[in-house]
Amino acid sequence: MKHLKKTFFAVAMLLSLNLCAQNPLITHMYTADPTARVFNGKLYVYPSSDQIPPENVNCPDFCMPGYHMFSLENGSTWKDHGWVLKENECPWGEKNTYAMWAPDCIEKDGKYYYFYPAKAKKDQAFRRIGVGVSNSPVGPFKWNKSFIEGVSGIDPGLLLDDDNQAYLFFGGGQELFVAPLSDDMSKIIKSPIKVEGLPYGYKEGSFPFKKGGKYYLTFAHVFPQEGYTIGYAISDKPMGPYKYYGKIMDNIENGTNHHSVVNYNGKWILFYHNWALSGFNKLRSICADYMTFNSDGTIRKVTPTLRGIGNPTLCDTIQIDRYNEINRLQTAFVSGDEPDGWMVCETRNGSYVRFNGVDFSDGKATKMQARMASGQRKGKMQIRIDNQHGKLIAEYPIEYTGGWGKWCTYTAELKQKVTGLHDIYVSFTADAGNTKIANLNWLILQ
Ligand code: FUB
């Protein structure tokens, strides 16, 4: 036990520092409608947020109080930058409507423009769209005093073309509109036109982007039997007409599927949301998975995974229950006083979990922390790399932590220097019998 150091963590503190890139990406609050953008090589996500309606507040639909934003730090840690805009701070918005639906943010000429829908004061329109400007992708934004004249609808989607002309896509229900924006992004310079060529069942959430000289439009597409899917269409011109090419993601149970697409470090990523954390489709959580193109420019369907994107490296949380493979164990909502999330549990003799793509980088890691709970004291947990019988890099004897819901952080020295990307295998061995061995919440390389 000499090589083990037992530390109890201030759990809330840890959570605020470590939001990880396994799905869902954010677990300390509900987030939806993610627009991902890469600015100066860094990945940002601008989502909306869902919340449980406060007492005495009647939210007949979603309850959406405003916007946080997040940036990817390190190999897979999301930093919460806090509030970008709270609903009652919108200069032209009606107060206390909890109606801050999907936003977007785009960079033009070194400035960052944040577009968002809200319910306007004394206005019949379902939503109007407003804009704010900042010198930094993380704000603060200076909010325009009134909404964009001539624009009525939800889900602003921004496209900046190679000639520096920006376009605003918006609308929901059955129609999508597009209009070119003024140089300062505060007005439309032509009347909006309806985007032609979208299939019957087009719903909302359009996201425009350009690749290989073609204009892509992705959107929520509802089929009568299947429900919400994510579809896409392609055009030679930014304002269309577009041609529908098929689905990017099948229905993932019945709920909305607002999304965005981004190229980060040479890989395409689809950001979307699900409701795995709450079990309720109006309390959503943002997710991300890699997306690939065929050589003819069409998009291969994306299957949602638990593992998500990114390669956790030193100091990132390896959320091990977001596995690539499990054998003879289960995952469940984390027990005890831990923050919301999942754990590996029901571990028995011979159980293992595989998690792909941990980045040991240049070999500076010397330790690995493990957040564990156990109601017994017999057995061990081992970490190997590359395959189930690969090099043993860390070992943890099982200790009684006070029960299956009492969590402790243990630190094991790494048994050897490891560099580069490796899949890790976490296996459990009982000293005797078929007793449960330990619950495991996460690992962190140090
Ligand atoms: O989040 C509220 C609304 O639900 C969004 O604006 C739509 O795209 C759908 O996700």
Side-chain angles (χ1 to χ4, degrees):
M1 208 63 71
K2 264 200 297 198
H3 63 299
L4 287 181
K5 213 171 85 207
K6 187 169 163 181
T7 342
F8 285 91
F9 260 66
V11 164
M13 181 77 174
L14 178 83
L15 185 76
S16 67
L17 298 173
N18 291 284
L19 312 168
C20 44
Q22 294 97 67
N23 286 328
L25 307 182
I26 310 294
T27 54
H28 71 294
M29 62 183 288
Y30 296 112
T31 50
D33 307 324
T35 295
R37 296 283 181 192
V38 174
F39 296 134
N40 305 316
K42 194 166 170 128
L43 183 54
Y44 296 88
V45 183
Y46 301 87
S48 57
S49 50
D50 289 332
Q51 73 167 66
I52 297 169
E55 225 170 299
N56 303 323
V57 169
N58 176 25
C59 281
D61 209 340
F62 296 97
C63 188
M64 306 185 69
Y67 309 107
H68 278 229
M69 61 149 305
F70 302 85
S71 62
L72 184 63
E73 309 291 322
N74 222 7
S76 93
T77 295
W78 290 99
K79 178 173 172 187
D80 182 353
H81 293 264
W83 289 104
V84 173
L85 176 65
K86 292 187 191 166
E87 61 160 347
N88 289 347
E89 291 165 1
C90 166
W92 47 268
E94 198 169 300
K95 306 281 180 227
N96 304 316
T97 47
Y98 294 86
M100 310 298 274
W101 286 17
D104 195 355
C105 183
I106 196 167
E107 190 250 326
K108 182 171 181 279
D109 302 328
K111 289 196 188 310
Y112 300 86
Y113 296 90
Y114 191 102
F115 288 76
Y116 64 97
K119 180 88 190 85
K121 283 177 215 154
K122 299 188 185 125
D123 187 71
Q124 292 303 309
F126 182 64
R127 293 287 189 283
R128 297 289 190 166
I129 292 175
V131 61
V133 61
S134 174
N135 290 324
S136 157
V138 301
F141 291 87
K142 187 166 183 289
W143 304 108
N144 285 5
K145 293 276 179 291
S146 44
F147 55 76
I148 304 174
E149 275 304 322
V151 172
S152 162
I154 59 167
D155 294 347
L158 278 299
L159 173 76
L160 184 66
D161 209 346
D162 304 333
D163 60 2
N164 214 29
Q165 175 62 56
Y167 297 88
L168 171 65
F169 291 75
F170 62 95
Q174 285 165 11
E175 292 182 324
L176 177 68
F177 295 92
V178 59
L181 285 163
S182 57
D183 243 10
D184 69 356
M185 307 288 265
S186 67
K187 303 189 267 300
I188 52 172
I189 53 173
K190 279 190 190 151
S191 295
I193 61 161
K194 187 178 159 193
V195 177
E196 296 299 334
L198 299 185
Y200 177 78
Y202 157 81
K203 179 73 180 164
E204 60 197 7
S206 74
F207 184 81
F209 66 97
K210 195 171 181 184
K211 178 183 179 285
K214 300 275 183 203
Y215 298 87
Y216 287 75
L217 198 53
T218 63
F219 48 88
H221 186 195
V222 177
F223 288 88
Q225 300 301 321
E226 189 183 358
Y228 273 90
T229 66
I230 301 176
Y232 75 106
I234 303 179
S235 177
D236 292 324
K237 290 184 280 179
M239 293 174 57
Y242 280 82
K243 182 174 171 218
Y244 176 64
Y245 271 83
K247 285 194 244 170
I248 303 177
M249 190 178 269
D250 289 328
N251 178 268
I252 45 169
E253 299 173 25
N254 220 5
T256 61
N257 54 9
H258 198 109
H259 58 279
S260 60
V261 171
V262 74
N263 187 306
Y264 176 60
N265 283 344
K267 286 185 174 171
W268 290 91
I269 305 173
L270 176 71
F271 282 76
Y272 57 99
H273 59 223
N274 68 17
W275 33 95
L277 196 59
S278 69
F280 176 46
N281 64 12
K282 295 199 169 48
L283 292 173
R284 298 161 291 180
S285 300
I286 62 171
C287 299
D289 274 299
Y290 292 113
M291 186 181 102
T292 52
F293 287 80
N294 295 306
S295 53
D296 63 359
T298 54
I299 300 176
R300 295 198 189 101
K301 242 194 230 171
V302 176
T303 305
T305 71
L306 296 176
R307 173 64 182 82
I309 58 162
N311 299 107
T313 187
L314 268 73
C315 302
D316 283 333
T317 303
I318 302 168
Q319 200 62 62
I320 195 75
D321 44 72
R322 313 286 84 192
Y323 55 83
N324 293 92
E325 181 194 353
I326 49 172
N327 180 54
R328 298 193 70 225
L329 55 77
Q330 292 174 21
T331 61
F333 277 115
V334 77
S335 56
D337 295 337
E338 293 286 271
D340 283 351
W342 291 264
M343 63 179 174
V344 160
C345 59
E346 296 301 324
T347 53
R348 310 277 165 166
N349 201 19
S351 300
Y352 72 83
V353 50
R354 169 168 60 90
F355 184 101
N356 287 0
V358 174
D359 185 3
F360 288 79
S361 188
D362 53 3
K364 287 220 176 68
T366 55
K367 298 174 195 157
M368 189 180 263
Q369 287 188 327
R371 185 79 173 159
M372 298 167 78
S374 181
Q376 58 93 44
R377 64 188 81 245
K378 292 194 174 69
K380 62 182 178 230
M381 181 178 89
Q382 294 181 318
I383 318 281
R384 294 177 186 271
I385 53 170
D386 303 331
N387 63 66
Q388 205 194 332
H389 307 288
K391 273 187 201 160
L392 177 65
I393 61 161
E395 187 166 282
Y396 304 79
I398 304 303
E399 294 188 343
Y400 176 68
T401 60
W404 298 101
K406 291 276 177 210
W407 292 87
C408 294
T409 302
Y410 295 92
T411 305
E413 305 291 331
L414 289 194
K415 290 179 183 291
Q416 43 198 300
K417 178 174 161 143
V418 186
T419 58
L421 274 187
H422 294 271
D423 299 345
I424 59 167
Y425 286 74
V426 182
S427 62
F428 297 84
T429 312
D431 286 348
N434 195 28
T435 49
K436 279 203 292 188
I437 299 171
N439 294 341
L440 174 63
N441 192 351
W442 46 253
L443 301 167
I444 298 180
L445 266 183
Q446 290 193 315

